[in-house]
Amino acid sequence: MPKLTRILFATALTLSILCFPIKAFAKAKIQMAILLDSSNSMDGLIDQTRTQIWQIVNSLSKVTKDGEVPELEVALYHYGNDSLPSQEGFVRLLTGFTSELDLVSEKLFSIQTNGGQEYAGWVIRSAMQQLNWSKDKEDFRVIFIAGNEPFDQGPVRWSQAVNLAVNGDILVNTIYCGSAESQERQLWASGATLAKGSHFNINQDKKIEFIKSPYDEQIAALNAQLNQTYIPYGARGAAGQERQAIEDRNSAENIASRGISKASQYYNNASWDLIDALDRGIVTLEQLSDDALPPVMRGMSLGQKREYVARKKAERERIQATIRDLSQKRDEYVIKQRQANVNGGENTLDYVIIQSLRQQLAAKGFKLQ
């Protein structure tokens, strides 16, 4: 090949690499914004969300795109609550999109119901304008809004708010928590239709019966061991580790589901756990001072620090693998129990969210096992 040709070829190759879309090297993303009515009558809805958030996460554990498990980000709003400022539409953003699921759980448990004006249009508009939605059309982006009051309450027209989502290629799924025969339900259904989403009707006060299995005690014990593999670092280390323990206690009755979530690739704590932070390239051991490390690591040489982190990481991966094996056995057991139960859970929040996610993710090119 002549020298000039080689130079031109190398230049073209370099430019093609530099101009290649960044997304080609990044994981696909699932972004889910959950908008919950927190007025007086919605205690059941909030309780269902608290207890079922880990079930929803677990339903996504075998979703892939381009051969990889995608990133999961969850945002959370509550609305329709007199404790929230009227000038802000009785709407509050509890957390923007985050991959740290313990934070989402913490915010769910912080919600206190109170009477108010339920402005569905306002909260949808807020979610569209305030959240950092992915610009990549290949990512999956969805809003779930749940409530039981007229969909057209408030000064922001629901159709205008929903059209913001339509223009952003973001699905809106609506969940009406009132009588199936109510006339108010019709606008909730219209909102989902306009945004190419799904509409559901649930009984938010239905008591959720957690199906216990012979594997739950093992999973709970392994979950406790898993916590010991986390290495708090930096200013958020102690608070993050404490949050993890608190959310374990909050999920005590459903600890098996939470433990299974913590064994998945979606459970990430890079803001406070050293292993996750190193895996994501957020920090390096070289740049961290001893003061930013837990007491057990202070005074170690760089080699000793690397060895300590590697040992904890290997232990974590071993525990997570064991939990995943038990999770498979637990799933098989639960399926049999549900088949024998004529009063299934088809009218609960987790069921409708999981069913819509499976259908909509598949339509977006994600693969589900």
Side-chain angles (χ1 to χ4, degrees), residues 128-315:
M128 289 306 306
Q129 293 179 342
Q130 295 176 343
L131 296 178
N132 184 26
W133 293 99
S134 166
K135 299 298 190 295
D136 195 297
K137 299 295 184 182
E138 296 301 311
D139 288 337
F140 179 78
R141 296 158 298 173
V142 66
I143 290 172
F144 286 93
I145 178 169
N148 72 338
E149 291 295 328
F151 202 60
D152 57 356
Q153 277 193 23
V156 178
R157 292 180 60 185
W158 69 266
S159 57
Q160 292 178 342
V162 171
N163 271 317
L164 291 174
V166 173
N167 294 335
D169 192 30
I170 296 167
L171 300 175
V172 178
N173 294 322
T174 62
I175 303 170
Y176 181 63
C177 306
S179 169
E181 291 75 31
S182 172
Q183 292 294 314
E184 294 174 354
R185 183 183 173 188
Q186 294 179 3
L187 282 184
W188 283 81
S190 297
T193 300
L194 178 59
K196 302 178 182 178
S198 299
H199 169 67
F200 303 95
N201 175 234
I202 68 168
N203 175 9
Q204 79 274 13
D205 293 321
K206 183 173 182 178
K207 180 65 176 176
I208 305 301
E209 182 181 356
F210 179 71
I211 299 176
K212 295 182 179 180
S213 83
Y215 311 102
D216 292 358
E217 288 187 7
Q218 288 176 271
I219 294 173
L222 288 165
N223 175 72
Q225 294 175 28
L226 187 63
N227 288 353
Q228 301 306 309
T229 70
Y230 283 82
I231 306 174
Y233 79 97
R236 299 182 183 179
Q241 193 168 47
E242 177 63 16
R243 180 190 296 128
Q244 184 183 64
I246 290 172
E247 298 317 309
D248 273 4
R249 293 195 291 272
N250 282 337
S251 301
E253 295 183 4
N254 196 13
I255 194 63
S257 286
R258 175 165 161 81
I260 292 167
S261 292
K262 288 165 69 173
S264 76
Q265 293 187 43
Y266 292 127
Y267 189 71
N268 166 62
N269 296 287
S271 72
W272 66 269
D273 170 59
L274 185 56
I275 293 175
D276 285 347
L278 290 170
D279 284 347
R280 294 207 166 202
I282 295 174
V283 298
T284 64
L285 282 173
E286 290 85 350
Q287 75 185 79
L288 289 174
S289 67
D290 268 12
D291 290 342
L293 297 172
V296 69
M297 292 184 69
R298 293 171 190 170
M300 288 184 178
S301 67
L302 182 58
Q304 289 171 328
K305 291 174 183 176
R306 287 174 176 161
E307 183 181 350
Y308 180 82
V309 171
R311 187 167 64 251
K312 287 288 187 180
K313 182 177 180 180
E315 183 182 358

Side-chain angles (χ1 to χ4, degrees), residues 38-39 78-85 90 111-117:
S38 61
S39 59
H78 73 121
Y79 72 101
N81 191 312
D82 276 344
S83 67
L84 307 177
F90 304 101
I111 298 175
Q112 300 292 322
T113 57
N114 197 4
Q117 300 296 309

Side-chain angles (χ1 to χ4, degrees), residues 318-351:
R318 176 185 59 78
I319 295 170
Q320 289 176 326
T322 305
I323 292 176
R324 287 193 292 270
D325 288 341
L326 291 170
S327 171
Q328 181 65 37
K329 295 176 182 178
R330 186 182 195 285
D331 286 346
E332 294 169 359
Y333 177 88
V334 169
I335 288 171
K336 291 179 181 178
Q337 295 298 308
R338 284 179 174 161
Q339 289 172 342
N341 181 8
V342 294
N343 297 316
E346 292 81 1
N347 195 30
T348 56
L349 187 75
D350 66 327
Y351 182 85

Side-chain angles (χ1 to χ4, degrees), residues 45-163:
L45 174 69
I46 305 303
D47 286 342
Q48 282 193 21
T49 313
R50 288 168 176 165
T51 59
Q52 296 170 345
I53 187 66
W54 304 111
Q55 308 258 103
I56 295 167
V57 171
N58 293 342
S59 74
L60 299 173
S61 62
K62 295 182 180 179
V63 173
T64 61
K65 192 166 189 182
D66 301 324
E68 289 189 299
V69 175
E71 293 184 3
L72 173 64
E73 294 181 345
V74 180
L76 183 65
Y77 280 86
H78 73 121
Y79 72 101
N81 191 312
D82 276 344
S83 67
L84 307 177
S86 58
Q87 66 271 23
E88 296 175 12
F90 304 101
V91 169
R92 174 160 295 164
L93 172 64
L94 293 170
T95 176
F97 283 125
T98 178
S99 60
E100 299 204 4
L101 300 176
D102 283 354
L103 176 61
V104 177
S105 180
E106 177 186 70
K107 296 301 182 181
L108 278 172
F109 278 90
S110 74
I111 298 175
Q112 300 292 322
T113 57
N114 197 4
Q117 300 296 309
E118 293 96 307
Y119 296 166
W122 195 310
V123 71
I124 292 172
R125 185 183 69 177
S126 296
M128 289 306 306
Q129 293 179 342
Q130 295 176 343
L131 296 178
N132 184 26
W133 293 99
S134 166
K135 299 298 190 295
D136 195 297
K137 299 295 184 182
E138 296 301 311
D139 288 337
F140 179 78
R141 296 158 298 173
V142 66
I143 290 172
F144 286 93
I145 178 169
N148 72 338
E149 291 295 328
F151 202 60
D152 57 356
Q153 277 193 23
V156 178
R157 292 180 60 185
W158 69 266
S159 57
Q160 292 178 342
V162 171
N163 271 317

